[in-house]
Amino acid sequence: MGFDDRVKTHDKCESVLSHVDRCASGLRILLYRIILFGQRTPRQRRTFAREDRMFQQFSTRGLQPSERVDAWNNVIGQTYSGLSASPLRPGFAARIARWELGDTILTRPASTAVSVERHHASPQHPVSRKVLLHCLHQGSGRLRHRRREVDLRQGDLVVCAAEENYHFDMHGDHELLIAEFDLAAFGETPVAWIDDVIARAIPRETAGARLLNDFMLSLWREGEMLDDEAPRAEFGRVFADMALACLRPSFGVRLSEQAPLWQRAKAIIASRLADSSLTPAALAQELGVGLRSLQAAAATANTTPGSFITQKRLMLAQQLLVAERYRSVTEIAFDCGFEDSSYFSKRFRQKFGLSPNQFRTTN
């Protein structure tokens, strides 16, 4: 499925969810505004809705191809001063969601292949105390920052200093989860070690990366459903506290090559359950071993790589079916790495004795 097709699918899902929420008694989507092109003037198409500063969205889908890059740069420049993008291939398409949690700003940009640069006229290293946490949710890329070049895989994290220059090359279709917060709110403690993690990849295999990825995804899933009494500023502070805890160098230690093979395999699986391309063969290749070696390592735990991946995905789906009742079974299946919802339902029934809908109804 191409990027434009995924954008259309996303928009259809948003429309269905919006209709359900309007009809459901007692439910409201708080100040949730979708800026749909074709329903706004050209001036409005290029800006976020200023009257709604909590949850906002922007997409290039309704614009002419010749207008898309300028419109996109206008929008991302409003959010992050000095930021600009240059497509790396024809057919540019992009979207972004923006959410404010007190002083913490969350964004979720996605686009086709692009080069993104943040340039300040007078970089202020090390005066600035704002940092940007980037979680690469889909795709791969490379960051240039502080004279370092950092290769990023799906699930990896990287931190940038907000008031310094940096450059991302995103090689294909991709999606990022980004959080900006100010270290000044935490006193002097984080500043002592934050430079040790800026412009360094935090591998998806680490516990800190997995926790932050999961927590950020949970925030986005729940974001538009929060009512007007939700303590957003407190949520933002909790997130920033958790991010700093997970980013500490002593916490984000990657499993060494000397760790048992199956232990390393399980760490990768845990970080990539949503990735439908994660197969036993792909896992073995990433670990740098043959498939038979991986199978032998799994056999020590009385399982197989394929079975273990499927069982973990089904366990995650079981949790999401109960915790996120407003989402469709198909959406949850896709988020758990299943490309076919019928196959997902079949495997779910085999494991739990009920269809996904039946399980949701009885729990």
Side-chain angles (χ1 to χ4, degrees):
M1 183 182 290
F3 185 83
D4 280 330
D5 292 331
R6 293 204 300 273
V7 169
K8 293 177 182 177
T9 301
H10 169 80
D11 289 344
K12 289 178 182 177
C13 290
E14 292 294 333
S15 177
V16 171
L17 287 173
S18 178
H19 176 72
V20 170
D21 287 329
R22 285 196 302 270
C23 296
S25 174
L27 293 179
R28 292 180 299 167
I29 297 180
L30 173 65
L31 297 176
Y32 178 50
R33 179 181 299 273
I34 302 175
I35 303 175
L36 294 174
F37 299 110
Q39 298 179 2
R40 297 282 187 253
T41 66
R43 178 180 178 83
Q44 288 172 315
R45 291 176 187 177
R46 289 162 171 77
T47 61
F48 280 125
R50 291 301 184 184
E51 68 274 21
D52 174 6
R53 295 178 56 80
M54 291 185 180
F55 198 98
Q56 307 154 335
Q57 291 196 13
F58 180 98
S59 170
T60 63
R61 179 173 170 241
L63 292 178
Q64 295 296 322
S66 60
E67 299 178 314
R68 292 182 175 184
V69 177
D70 286 344
W72 182 246
N73 280 328
N74 189 312
V75 169
I76 63 175
Q78 290 177 37
T79 303
Y80 302 114
S81 62
L83 195 69
S84 62
S86 301
L88 296 179
R89 69 185 187 206
F92 176 74
R95 69 174 187 269
I96 187 172
R98 183 177 185 271
W99 188 21
E100 293 188 11
L101 295 176
D103 294 331
T104 300
I105 309 299
L106 303 180
T107 59
R108 188 171 183 172
S111 81
T112 50
V114 70
S115 177
V116 179
E117 182 173 12
R118 192 167 193 181
H119 179 75
H120 297 280
S122 301
Q124 300 179 13
H125 175 64
V127 175
S128 172
R129 303 182 76 183
K130 285 189 175 182
V131 294
L132 287 160
L133 169 65
H134 299 77
C135 301
L136 186 52
H137 184 48
Q138 294 180 358
S140 62
R142 171 172 287 188
L143 167 69
R144 296 201 299 273
H145 187 30
R146 289 194 173 180
R147 299 183 179 179
R148 300 186 188 119
E149 292 196 3
V150 181
D151 288 319
L152 300 169
R153 309 160 298 160
Q154 181 172 314
D156 287 348
L157 312 183
V158 70
V159 179
C160 296
E163 299 303 325
E164 299 178 33
N165 298 339
Y166 56 81
H167 185 109
F168 280 95
D169 286 318
M170 309 308 295
H171 309 313
D173 294 356
H174 64 279
E175 183 175 29
L176 288 159
L177 309 175
I178 304 175
E180 181 181 51
F181 50 91
D182 193 343
L183 296 175
F186 300 88
E188 296 298 325
T189 303
V191 181
W193 55 262
I194 196 67
D195 281 339
D196 293 337
V197 297
I198 288 177
R200 298 185 186 277
I202 302 170
R204 64 193 180 201
E205 293 87 355
T206 64
R210 295 198 301 272
L211 283 170
L212 282 175
N213 269 301
D214 289 347
F215 190 55
M216 291 184 78
L217 283 173
S218 296
L219 282 174
W220 279 107
R221 282 195 289 262
E222 299 296 335
E224 66 199 65
M225 304 299 293
L226 292 177
D227 61 31
D228 51 1
E229 300 300 323
R232 297 172 187 271
E234 287 82 354
F235 288 167
R237 178 57 188 257
V238 168
F239 171 77
D241 280 333
M242 180 177 180
L244 287 175
C246 291
L247 291 172
R248 283 184 177 276
S250 59
F251 184 68
V253 178
R254 184 176 184 173
L255 291 175
S256 71
E257 296 300 320
Q258 285 70 46
L261 176 58
W262 186 236
Q263 184 180 350
R264 287 186 283 135
K266 289 193 294 182
I268 293 175
I269 292 168
S271 68
R272 293 180 59 190
L273 290 177
D275 183 1
S276 60
S277 69
L278 181 65
T279 63
L283 179 60
Q285 183 177 14
E286 181 161 342
L287 288 164
V289 301
L291 180 57
R292 290 196 176 187
S293 295
L294 178 61
Q295 290 170 335
T300 62
N302 298 314
T303 187
T304 66
S307 176
F308 186 83
I309 292 170
T310 299
Q311 296 306 308
K312 287 295 183 181
R313 285 173 169 161
L314 290 172
M315 294 297 291
L316 175 61
Q318 181 191 40
Q319 297 173 21
L320 295 181
L321 284 167
V322 176
E324 301 177 6
R325 295 180 183 276
Y326 59 90
R327 303 179 69 221
S328 70
V329 170
T330 298
E331 285 181 291
I332 289 175
F334 288 162
D335 278 359
C336 294
F338 292 94
E339 291 185 304
D340 186 325
S341 59
S342 296
Y343 175 74
F344 163 68
S345 296
K346 177 182 177 181
R347 295 305 303 265
F348 192 93
R349 182 185 288 275
Q350 288 175 346
K351 181 170 179 60
F352 299 109
L354 296 170
S355 71
N357 280 322
Q358 290 171 333
F359 179 84
R360 173 176 272 175
T361 300
T362 56
N363 290 272

